[in-house]
């Protein structure tokens, strides 16, 4: 029994050795075929890492800078609406036109242009600071894109925070579920912009109501006079319009209004 088991074991060992001898060349050939690809992949990975390290140290070219500037120009109208007093001015001008009873005079293009250039005039110190510290160094290749954006955001952040109510800032922090920051520099830029827009809307409506009330009084007086005279068919707006325009001209309304809105904007 024991001799039979040992004979079977020897036979099995001989078969295994024969199979190993036959398959060993195939294994060697397979290793020889695939080994260059593995080495080539490792070399390619080393080359890619080296190129990434080299590109990280290469400054941004002028073409890329020009592309970034042109892309930023597409966001200029939106930035103009939410980071300048343009919203305040255009709302007040629109409410003034409605209070006077005028439909299309002055035209929308005139009101928008007036609000635009008035905003640019008031923000001249802020824009000059951005141009000097961020835009010109970026165009000249002295600073990178991320750094230029951070430098440009500093004056804008200071301007918006100076013209933002603390109550509105607290509301936006609560809506954004942001913890109370230790300083104003820790407030996210999106929260600052949202709070500024909210404050501008509130300020614009407050100024608009103050402008609307005197002209509303004239409408009420003219309506009562026409009602007392029995002229109920004649619209009161037609009679009150010349008186409202006369009042606005005599008090030099445009200069007074623009001067009051300009003084309400804190710059610097």
């Amino acid at each position: 029994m024991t001799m039979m088991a040992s004979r079977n074991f020897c036979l099995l060992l001989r078969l295994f050795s024969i199979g190993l001898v036959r398959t060993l060349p195939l294994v060697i050939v397979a290793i020889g075929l695939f080994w260059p690809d593995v080495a080539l992949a490792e070399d390619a990975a080393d080359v890619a890492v080296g190129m990434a390290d080299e590109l990280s140290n290469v400054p941004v070219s002028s073409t890329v800078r020009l592309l970034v500037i042109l892309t930023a120009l597409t966001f200029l109208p939106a930035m103009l609406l939410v980071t300048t007093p343009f919203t305040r001015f255009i709302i007040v001008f629109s409410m003034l036109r409605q209070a006077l009873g005028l439909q299309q005079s002055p035209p929308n293009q005139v009101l928008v242009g007036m609000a635009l250039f008035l905003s640019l005039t008031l923000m001249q110190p802020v824009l000059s600071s951005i141009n000097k510290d961020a835009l010109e160094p970026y165009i000249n290749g002295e600073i990178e894109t991320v750094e230029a954006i951070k430098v440009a955001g500093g004056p804008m952040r200071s301007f918006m925070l100076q013209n933002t109510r603390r109550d509105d800032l607290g509301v936006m922090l609560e809506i954004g579920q942001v913890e109370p920051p230790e300083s104003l520099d820790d407030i996210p830029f999106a929260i600052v912009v949202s709070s500024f827009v909210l404050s501008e809307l509130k300020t614009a409506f407050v100024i608009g109501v103050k402008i609307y009330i005197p002209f509303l009084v004239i409408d009420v007086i003219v309506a009562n006079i026409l009602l007392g005279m029995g002229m109920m068919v004649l619209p009161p707006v037609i009679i009150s319009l010349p008186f409202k325009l006369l009042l606005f001209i005599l008090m030099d309304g445009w200069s007074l209004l623009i001067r009051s809105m300009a003084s309400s904007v804190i710059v610097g």
Side-chain angles (χ1 to χ4, degrees):
M1 188 71 178
T2 305
M3 294 178 63
M4 182 68 68
S6 60
R7 185 179 299 175
N8 294 334
F9 178 76
C10 293
L11 182 59
L12 183 61
L13 182 61
R14 184 178 298 177
L15 292 175
F16 177 75
S17 61
I18 293 173
L20 181 61
V21 171
R22 291 181 178 179
T23 57
L24 183 60
L26 297 177
V27 174
I28 295 175
V29 172
I31 293 175
L33 290 175
F34 290 102
W35 182 259
D37 293 339
V38 175
L40 183 60
E42 292 179 354
D43 295 339
D46 295 337
V47 172
V49 173
M51 292 179 62
D53 294 337
E54 293 178 358
L55 290 175
S56 62
N57 297 324
V58 175
V60 181
S61 63
S62 58
T63 305
V64 177
R65 296 179 188 278
L66 181 60
L67 180 61
V68 172
I69 293 174
L70 293 177
T71 305
L73 290 177
T74 60
F75 297 96
L76 185 60
M79 296 298 293
L80 179 65
L81 290 176
V82 298
T83 59
T84 65
F86 179 84
T87 303
R88 178 189 308 189
F89 297 149
I90 193 63
I91 291 177
V92 172
F93 290 153
S94 299
M95 295 185 69
L96 172 64
R97 185 172 62 181
Q98 293 179 2
L100 290 173
L102 301 173
Q103 300 298 325
Q104 298 295 332
S105 182
N108 292 329
Q109 293 82 357
V110 175
L111 296 182
V112 171
M114 187 184 301
L116 173 62
F117 285 100
L118 184 58
S119 301
L120 295 178
T121 302
L122 292 177
M123 295 194 64
Q124 190 65 33
V126 178
L127 298 178
S128 299
S129 177
I130 294 175
N131 182 57
K132 179 181 178 182
D133 299 334
L135 185 58
E136 291 183 356
Y138 178 73
I139 294 176
N140 297 330
E142 300 175 2
I143 58 177
E144 299 299 326
T145 304
V146 177
E147 185 179 357
I149 294 175
K150 291 181 179 179
V151 174
M156 295 300 300
R157 173 188 288 269
S158 300
F159 169 77
M160 288 187 289
L161 288 175
Q162 289 177 350
N163 293 274
T164 301
R165 295 181 177 87
R166 294 298 176 262
D167 296 338
D168 299 332
L169 187 60
V171 170
M172 297 311 302
L173 288 174
E174 182 180 357
I175 293 175
Q177 297 180 356
V178 179
E179 296 181 357
E182 297 180 357
S183 63
L184 296 177
D185 296 334
D186 298 332
I187 302 176
F189 192 77
I191 299 296
V192 175
V193 174
S194 302
S195 305
F196 174 74
V197 174
L198 185 60
S199 296
E200 288 296 298
L201 291 174
K202 187 179 297 184
T203 303
F205 278 99
V206 169
I207 298 175
V209 169
K210 293 180 180 179
I211 294 174
Y212 217 105
I213 290 177
F215 300 110
L216 181 61
V217 172
I218 295 178
D219 288 333
V220 172
I221 293 175
V222 171
N224 288 330
I225 293 175
L226 293 177
L227 183 61
M229 297 175 60
M231 303 175 62
M232 294 178 292
V233 180
L234 183 64
V237 178
I238 298 178
I239 306 299
S240 63
L241 178 60
F243 293 100
K244 290 188 290 186
L245 291 176
L246 182 61
L247 175 64
F248 190 71
I249 293 172
L250 292 177
M251 64 184 301
D252 195 10
W254 286 113
S255 299
L256 182 61
L257 177 62
I258 292 176
R259 185 174 300 177
S260 300
M261 288 193 299
S263 61
S264 64
V265 178
I266 302 175
V267 182

